[in-house]
């Protein structure tokens, strides 16, 4: 699986968009980009995933660059409850288990 | 909604005890996983299973075994608990069928069991 690189921490003001970057420069053509988050003392929660096209669901949007070497997770209107560790993972679908790195600790500030 | 449940949220055991951690999923998922999570080390895969009675070692299987007798249930066993197994244990499941080549690897996690071994 391709290695991903994320900043260790970020802050975001409540109500503003949170943009979380992820670099995956060695990603191969059929590896998906997955995003999860983990709120303190809970199990990780799936957010979104994509292959090439940008994706949006009720939680977030995923923007993948055309060369697929990086992506950005966007939480459009961050709330205090979005404070969590966010994990970006690149993986072949169904081939090997997902490998979680250290993620980005997002703090949403009132 | 997918539901993954774990038998206990908190568990305290003594060194040398045999410990069973149970995980049940209600969505007929093919794959199930056990991770442990420790501060500064992130999530580490212990074992996973992609079918009933099948198991594969993850990154840190030493000191653990697993059992999957039914599709919905995946048990993690600590044969003789030690203090270095004090950790948060997380179970997950996903739908991808390796045989059929369909589904997605999206993993759904349980709430976790915080195990303390004294």
């Amino acid at each position: 699986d391709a290695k991903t690189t994320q900043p260790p921490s970020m802050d975001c003001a409540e109500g503003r968009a949170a943009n979380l970057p992820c670099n995956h420069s060695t990603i191969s053509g059929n590896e998906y980009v997955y995003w999860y988050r983990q709120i303190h003392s809970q199990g990780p929660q799936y957010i979104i995933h994509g292959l090439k096209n940008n994706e949006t669901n009720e939680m977030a949007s995923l923007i993948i660059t055309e060369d697929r070497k990086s992506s950005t997770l966007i939480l459009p209107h961050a709330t205090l409850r979005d404070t969590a560790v966010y994990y970006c993972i690149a993986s072949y679908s169904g081939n090997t288990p997902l490998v979680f790195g250290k993620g980005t600790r997002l703090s949403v500030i009132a | 909604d997918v539901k993954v449940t774990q038998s206990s949220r908190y568990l305290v055991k003594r060194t040398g005890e045999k410990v069973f951690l149970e995980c049940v999923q209600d969505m007929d998922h093919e794959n199930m996983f056990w991770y442990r999570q420790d501060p500064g080390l992130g999530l580490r895969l212990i074992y996973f299973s992609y079918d009933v009675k099948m198991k594969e070692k993850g990154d840190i299987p030493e000191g653990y075994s697993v059992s999957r007798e039914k599709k919905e249930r995946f048990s993690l066993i600590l044969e003789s608990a030690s203090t270095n197994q004090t950790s948060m244990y997380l179970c997950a499941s996903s739908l991808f069928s390796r045989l059929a080549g369909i589904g997605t690897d999206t993993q759904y996690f349980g709430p976790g069991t915080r195990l303390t071994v004294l």
Side-chain angles (χ1 to χ4, degrees), chain A residues 10-16 78-83 106-110:
Chain A
M10 291 181 64
D11 292 338
C12 178
E14 189 178 20
R16 304 297 293 267
T79 71
L80 298 178
R81 278 180 284 199
D82 292 321
T83 292
L106 175 70
S107 298
V108 180
I109 303 164

Side-chain angles (χ1 to χ4, degrees), chain A residues 34 36 38 41 43-44 46 94, chain B residues 9 37 98 105-107 109-110:
Chain A
Y34 288 85
Y36 286 75
Q38 187 174 24
S41 294
Y46 166 77
Chain B
R9 283 289 273 141
Q37 185 172 31
R98 280 164 176 75
D105 250 344
T106 300
Q107 290 187 25
F109 284 80

Side-chain angles (χ1 to χ4, degrees), chain A residues 34 36 38 40-46 49 87 91-102, chain B residues 9 33 35 37 40 42-43 45 48 88 90 96 98 103-112 114:
Chain A
Y34 288 85
Y36 286 75
Q38 187 174 24
H40 183 62
S41 294
Q42 296 182 23
Q45 177 190 23
Y46 166 77
H49 75 284
Y87 298 97
S91 179
Y92 295 103
S93 183
N95 197 14
T96 56
L98 300 176
V99 176
F100 286 76
K102 300 205 172 157
Chain B
R9 283 289 273 141
F33 308 83
Y35 297 85
Q37 185 172 31
L43 276 82
L45 182 65
F48 64 103
M88 168 72 93
L90 292 157
F96 188 86
R98 280 164 176 75
T104 171
D105 250 344
T106 300
Q107 290 187 25
Y108 296 90
F109 284 80
R114 188 166 292 283

Side-chain angles (χ1 to χ4, degrees), chain A residues 2-109:
Chain A
K3 182 179 164 63
T4 62
T5 305
Q6 299 177 255
S9 64
M10 291 181 64
D11 292 338
C12 178
E14 189 178 20
R16 304 297 293 267
N19 297 287
L20 292 94
C22 179
N23 285 320
H24 30 79
S25 57
T26 60
I27 197 169
S28 64
N30 49 2
E31 282 188 290
Y32 287 76
V33 179
Y34 288 85
W35 282 86
Y36 286 75
R37 74 179 183 184
Q38 187 174 24
I39 295 169
H40 183 62
S41 294
Q42 296 182 23
Q45 177 190 23
Y46 166 77
I47 301 172
I48 200 166
H49 75 284
L51 184 63
K52 296 180 186 176
N53 299 324
N54 298 337
E55 302 287 345
T56 294
N57 63 20
E58 65 279 1
M59 288 183 69
S61 295
L62 173 61
I63 309 296
I64 303 174
T65 58
E66 197 167 335
D67 63 7
R68 301 207 334 116
K69 292 184 185 302
S70 65
S71 60
T72 301
L73 179 76
I74 301 171
L75 310 177
H77 305 287
T79 71
L80 298 178
R81 278 180 284 199
D82 292 321
T83 292
V85 178
Y86 287 77
Y87 298 97
C88 168
I89 303 162
S91 179
Y92 295 103
S93 183
N95 197 14
T96 56
L98 300 176
V99 176
F100 286 76
K102 300 205 172 157
T104 295
R105 183 172 297 277
L106 175 70
S107 298
V108 180
I109 303 164

